[in-house]
Amino acid sequence: MSPDMSLPDASEHFLRFYYYGGSIYCALKEFDKAHFFFEQAVVCPASVVSKIALESYKKLLIVSLLITGKTPQIPKYVSQGIVRHLRGLSQPYHDLASVFVGNDPTQMERVIRQHEDTFRREQNLGLVKQCIPAFFKKNIRRLTNTFVTLSLADVTNRANLNSIRDAESYVLEMIAARDIYATINEKDGMVSFHDNPVAYNSQTTLEEVDSEIRKCMFLDEKIQRMDQEISLNPQYLQKVAGSQEDKEATSLRS
């Protein structure tokens, strides 16, 4: 990405760190982490929309579809003017999101073909194409909320898949990834959906929770030490004192 002349150097370095970090996590298919990184670049305080924030927003839209099936919720503290500009400059991606939440794969294919040149030029076509299998998985995931048992033929029809073989392949892949909990009876071609079998009262779970609590306590102590070190730093104290003198001088003049 070329330098963004609308940004101070420090801001540009901050945004680039999160943009490139998110791109790396996308390449690794660690989309939860990619979502976090792109979001940081989007919500960074700004008075105008930078190129880096815009490109991060476009990728954030796609990644959000991949992991949640929905467009991202931009925090309310972000300027609504900034949000409107981001949305207005990302219409092809919102078109994609609009059809993704539906149930018709032909509409998905139509939108991707319609905006293919844009997606390719902005180097997002590979990421966009990953929305196609994610779309079918989303449809299968919905079935688990309604049905306990379905035939593979029913899964094929209800998820708008091309064949029973595709349905079986998707279900097996989702089971392996623990995206859904299900079993397939190969004899009669029936799929049984189950609740999460993990018991959260096991000793292993308690140990994991205890470990996470200890990590949080360690980080809290580290933040407090850093805060104390900063508050005693001569340069920080000098800057605070200078800011206070400027305020007092301004109030006296007024």
Side-chain angles (χ1 to χ4, degrees):
M1 184 179 292
S2 59
D4 193 328
M5 304 307 294
S6 66
L7 292 170
D9 287 346
S11 298
E12 181 173 356
H13 293 158
F14 176 88
L15 293 176
R16 282 180 179 274
F17 171 80
Y18 282 105
Y19 173 79
Y20 288 128
S23 299
I24 290 169
Y25 279 124
C26 279
L28 297 173
K29 296 188 183 298
E30 295 186 28
F31 295 120
D32 287 324
K33 293 178 181 178
H35 186 281
F36 172 81
F37 270 66
F38 290 135
E39 185 178 51
Q40 300 314 300
V42 170
V43 303
C44 180
S47 56
V48 295
V49 175
S50 69
K51 181 180 179 182
I52 303 173
L54 176 59
E55 296 308 312
S56 297
Y57 179 74
K58 292 172 181 177
K59 284 182 166 59
L60 177 64
L61 274 173
I62 305 170
V63 170
S64 185
L65 293 178
L66 292 175
I67 62 177
T68 70
K70 299 180 292 185
T71 55
Q73 294 294 317
I74 304 300
K76 292 183 179 180
Y77 59 77
V78 178
S79 165
Q80 289 305 300
I82 293 290
V83 174
R84 283 195 297 272
H85 276 86
L86 287 171
R87 289 173 177 167
L89 295 169
S90 308
Q91 193 56 52
Y93 299 87
H94 281 282
D95 291 345
L96 178 69
S98 295
V99 296
F100 187 93
V101 298
N103 199 41
D104 187 352
T106 60
Q107 292 299 313
M108 274 279 295
E109 294 167 359
R110 178 187 62 78
V111 168
I112 292 174
R113 284 197 306 271
Q114 179 183 348
H115 299 298
E116 184 172 354
D117 290 341
T118 299
F119 295 145
R120 181 181 288 107
R121 183 174 64 253
E122 295 176 351
Q123 299 183 0
N124 288 324
L125 184 59
L127 203 56
V128 165
K129 287 185 175 180
Q130 293 184 58
C131 288
I132 296 174
F135 173 84
F136 291 117
K137 289 178 181 178
K138 174 213 65 175
N139 288 349
I140 293 172
R141 201 177 298 113
R142 283 178 177 172
L143 299 178
T144 68
N145 298 326
T146 307
F147 300 96
V148 175
T149 304
L150 276 176
S151 69
L152 281 170
D154 283 334
V155 172
T156 303
N157 293 330
R158 293 177 183 274
N160 283 311
L161 290 158
N162 292 325
S163 67
I164 290 177
R165 179 175 294 180
D166 285 346
E168 183 177 16
S169 177
Y170 273 113
V171 170
L172 289 173
E173 184 179 338
M174 293 174 77
I175 292 171
R178 295 187 178 181
D179 195 5
I180 61 172
Y181 299 94
T183 53
I184 299 176
N185 186 326
E186 295 185 2
K187 185 180 294 185
D188 55 15
M190 298 298 293
V191 182
S192 298
F193 299 115
H194 312 297
D195 294 328
N196 187 342
V198 176
Y200 291 101
N201 58 354
S202 66
Q203 183 63 31
T204 302
T205 302
L206 294 175
E207 289 174 357
E208 289 177 355
V209 171
D210 181 67
S211 174
E212 293 301 318
I213 291 173
R214 290 178 183 276
K215 288 179 184 177
C216 290
M217 292 172 64
F218 171 77
L219 289 173
D220 181 61
E221 291 174 1
K222 188 173 182 179
I223 290 170
Q224 290 185 34
R225 287 198 303 270
M226 291 174 64
D227 182 62
Q228 187 175 13
E229 289 172 2
I230 290 171
S231 64
L232 297 175
N233 185 287
Q235 291 181 335
Y236 172 77
L237 293 173
Q238 185 178 3
K239 187 172 183 180
V240 170
S243 299
Q244 186 63 33
E245 289 175 0
D246 291 342
K247 288 181 181 178
E248 291 175 356
T250 302
S251 62
L252 287 173
R253 285 196 298 271
S254 60

